[in-house]
Amino acid sequence: MKGQDPFAVIVGCSDSRVPPEILFDHGIGDLFVIRTAGNILDGIGMGSVEYAVLHLGVRLVVVLGHSSCGAVAAALTGEKPGGHQDSVIEALEETVSSVRGAADDEHDAASRKNVLVTVERLRNDEPSIRNLVEKEGLEIIGAYYDIGTGRVELPIGKGESS
Ligand SMILES: [Zn+2]
């Protein structure tokens, strides 16, 4: 295969139960995938998305959260295990505290909110991604995979997260 021409960027969780190519039934060359614990984007992750939309011409970015996410569960405990895992917990702290006491299922609410926060961050990322959203029809949407049912909800967050 000469070069690559993926049609979507997936920002997903490293969780072994959530492999984007298998969930979305796609093969080699179809998806440009960034996976981190808790589907969090740091500078390198953002740079990876930028590369795909600027240089590969991808016009769809899907931020994929999921049920039973260990990173979100760890952040909800408020404890820090030490080492680099603390970076994961710290990145989720604000999201987690915003749902605390405000939802029956805090894990589910935090996981969904985490997706929507990342969608908004990407949409407003200056200058290049925001520009592509406004002028080139780049779509950035959130999705949620339920490990129990095997279903992907897409898009999530039209209006308010549930
Ligand atoms: Zn996860």
Side-chain angles (χ1 to χ4, degrees):
M1 193 184 282
K2 195 178 169 212
Q4 60 168 324
D5 187 25
F7 77 93
V9 172
I10 309 289
V11 178
C13 183
S14 300
D15 192 305
S16 62
R17 299 165 294 178
V18 194
E21 288 87 349
I22 294 173
L23 294 186
F24 293 116
D25 195 21
H26 286 293
I28 289 171
D30 293 332
L31 304 176
F32 190 93
V33 178
I34 296 126
R35 292 176 76 178
T36 61
N39 39 277
I40 298 156
L41 286 178
D42 59 4
I44 293 170
M46 295 291 285
S48 303
V49 175
E50 258 185 35
Y51 173 76
V53 297
L54 284 174
H55 298 286
L56 303 177
V58 178
R59 287 295 173 265
L60 174 63
V61 178
V62 178
V63 180
L64 176 65
H66 70 99
S67 64
S68 307
C69 183
V72 172
L76 276 165
T77 68
E79 289 164 24
K80 293 192 181 164
H84 294 292
Q85 289 180 90
D86 286 2
S87 304
V88 177
I89 306 293
E90 282 159 17
L92 291 167
E93 263 170 357
E94 201 182 317
T95 296
V96 161
S97 56
S98 76
V99 305
R100 224 176 234 123
D104 292 338
D105 186 339
E106 289 183 354
H107 182 280
D108 186 72
S111 298
R112 288 169 182 272
K113 178 93 186 265
N114 181 36
V115 168
L116 299 177
V117 164
T118 302
V119 166
E120 278 312 302
R121 252 185 82 208
L122 282 166
R123 280 182 185 156
N124 293 301
D125 192 56
E126 301 275 5
S128 48
I129 297 181
R130 186 184 176 130
N131 192 50
L132 289 172
V133 168
E134 287 171 357
K135 297 185 179 142
E136 304 278 337
L138 172 63
E139 283 221 62
I140 303 176
I141 59 176
Y144 195 76
Y145 176 65
D146 187 318
I147 286 180
T149 64
R151 288 217 171 131
V152 178
E153 198 182 320
L154 182 155
I156 63 165
K158 292 234 162 171
E160 189 62 6
S161 62
S162 55

PDB file of all heavy atoms in Angstrom, residues 13-15 37-39 66 68-71, ligand 1:
ATOM      1  N   CYS A  13      -9.983   4.525  23.854  1.00  0.00           N
ATOM      2  CA  CYS A  13      -9.302   4.087  25.072  1.00  0.00           C
ATOM      3  C   CYS A  13      -8.422   2.875  24.764  1.00  0.00           C
ATOM      4  O   CYS A  13      -8.723   2.067  23.889  1.00  0.00           O
ATOM      5  CB  CYS A  13     -10.331   3.728  26.136  1.00  0.00           C
ATOM      6  SG  CYS A  13      -9.583   3.248  27.717  1.00  0.00           S
ATOM      7  N   SER A  14      -7.343   2.754  25.510  1.00  0.00           N
ATOM      8  CA  SER A  14      -6.423   1.625  25.316  1.00  0.00           C
ATOM      9  C   SER A  14      -7.019   0.299  25.780  1.00  0.00           C
ATOM     10  O   SER A  14      -6.473  -0.764  25.457  1.00  0.00           O
ATOM     11  CB  SER A  14      -5.134   1.867  26.109  1.00  0.00           C
ATOM     12  OG  SER A  14      -4.508   3.034  25.664  1.00  0.00           O
ATOM     13  N   ASP A  15      -8.109   0.350  26.511  1.00  0.00           N
ATOM     14  CA  ASP A  15      -8.782  -0.860  27.008  1.00  0.00           C
ATOM     15  C   ASP A  15      -8.843  -1.944  25.918  1.00  0.00           C
ATOM     16  O   ASP A  15      -9.299  -1.685  24.801  1.00  0.00           O
ATOM     17  CB  ASP A  15     -10.199  -0.472  27.462  1.00  0.00           C
ATOM     18  CG  ASP A  15     -10.871  -1.580  28.258  1.00  0.00           C
ATOM     19  OD1 ASP A  15     -10.959  -2.718  27.746  1.00  0.00           O
ATOM     20  OD2 ASP A  15     -11.326  -1.306  29.384  1.00  0.00           O
ATOM     21  N   ALA A  37      -5.136   5.496  27.740  1.00  0.00           N
ATOM     22  CA  ALA A  37      -6.011   5.179  28.856  1.00  0.00           C
ATOM     23  C   ALA A  37      -6.987   6.331  29.058  1.00  0.00           C
ATOM     24  O   ALA A  37      -6.581   7.487  29.160  1.00  0.00           O
ATOM     25  CB  ALA A  37      -5.192   4.957  30.122  1.00  0.00           C
ATOM     26  N   GLY A  38      -8.262   6.039  29.043  1.00  0.00           N
ATOM     27  CA  GLY A  38      -9.281   7.063  29.252  1.00  0.00           C
ATOM     28  C   GLY A  38      -9.532   7.951  28.046  1.00  0.00           C
ATOM     29  O   GLY A  38     -10.143   9.007  28.160  1.00  0.00           O
ATOM     30  N   ASN A  39      -9.088   7.510  26.870  1.00  0.00           N
ATOM     31  CA  ASN A  39      -9.216   8.318  25.639  1.00  0.00           C
ATOM     32  C   ASN A  39      -8.968   9.815  25.875  1.00  0.00           C
ATOM     33  O   ASN A  39      -9.752  10.683  25.510  1.00  0.00           O
ATOM     34  CB  ASN A  39     -10.555   8.085  24.898  1.00  0.00           C
ATOM     35  CG  ASN A  39     -11.773   7.911  25.795  1.00  0.00           C
ATOM     36  OD1 ASN A  39     -12.059   6.825  26.300  1.00  0.00           O
ATOM     37  ND2 ASN A  39     -12.468   9.001  26.019  1.00  0.00           N
ATOM     38  N   HIS A  66     -16.234   4.575  26.583  1.00  0.00           N
ATOM     39  CA  HIS A  66     -16.875   3.268  26.780  1.00  0.00           C
ATOM     40  C   HIS A  66     -17.278   3.051  28.232  1.00  0.00           C
ATOM     41  O   HIS A  66     -16.759   3.705  29.136  1.00  0.00           O
ATOM     42  CB  HIS A  66     -15.932   2.155  26.304  1.00  0.00           C
ATOM     43  CG  HIS A  66     -14.730   1.957  27.167  1.00  0.00           C
ATOM     44  ND1 HIS A  66     -14.641   0.969  28.114  1.00  0.00           N
ATOM     45  CD2 HIS A  66     -13.559   2.647  27.243  1.00  0.00           C
ATOM     46  CE1 HIS A  66     -13.460   1.037  28.720  1.00  0.00           C
ATOM     47  NE2 HIS A  66     -12.785   2.058  28.211  1.00  0.00           N
ATOM     48  N   SER A  68     -17.544   0.870  31.767  1.00  0.00           N
ATOM     49  CA  SER A  68     -16.544   0.128  32.557  1.00  0.00           C
ATOM     50  C   SER A  68     -15.112   0.567  32.293  1.00  0.00           C
ATOM     51  O   SER A  68     -14.192  -0.261  32.262  1.00  0.00           O
ATOM     52  CB  SER A  68     -16.643  -1.386  32.282  1.00  0.00           C
ATOM     53  OG  SER A  68     -17.937  -1.837  32.459  1.00  0.00           O
ATOM     54  N   CYS A  69     -14.922   1.871  32.078  1.00  0.00           N
ATOM     55  CA  CYS A  69     -13.567   2.370  31.803  1.00  0.00           C
ATOM     56  C   CYS A  69     -12.759   2.440  33.105  1.00  0.00           C
ATOM     57  O   CYS A  69     -13.145   3.126  34.048  1.00  0.00           O
ATOM     58  CB  CYS A  69     -13.630   3.749  31.145  1.00  0.00           C
ATOM     59  SG  CYS A  69     -11.989   4.378  30.708  1.00  0.00           S
ATOM     60  N   GLY A  70     -11.662   1.726  33.147  1.00  0.00           N
ATOM     61  CA  GLY A  70     -10.832   1.676  34.341  1.00  0.00           C
ATOM     62  C   GLY A  70     -10.205   3.009  34.698  1.00  0.00           C
ATOM     63  O   GLY A  70     -10.057   3.342  35.871  1.00  0.00           O
ATOM     64  N   ALA A  71      -9.864   3.792  33.673  1.00  0.00           N
ATOM     65  CA  ALA A  71      -9.246   5.095  33.935  1.00  0.00           C
ATOM     66  C   ALA A  71     -10.247   6.025  34.618  1.00  0.00           C
ATOM     67  O   ALA A  71      -9.911   6.719  35.584  1.00  0.00           O
ATOM     68  CB  ALA A  71      -8.756   5.709  32.617  1.00  0.00           C
TER      69      ALA A  71
HETATM   70 ZN    ZN B   1     -11.225   2.933  29.160  1.00  0.00          ZN
END
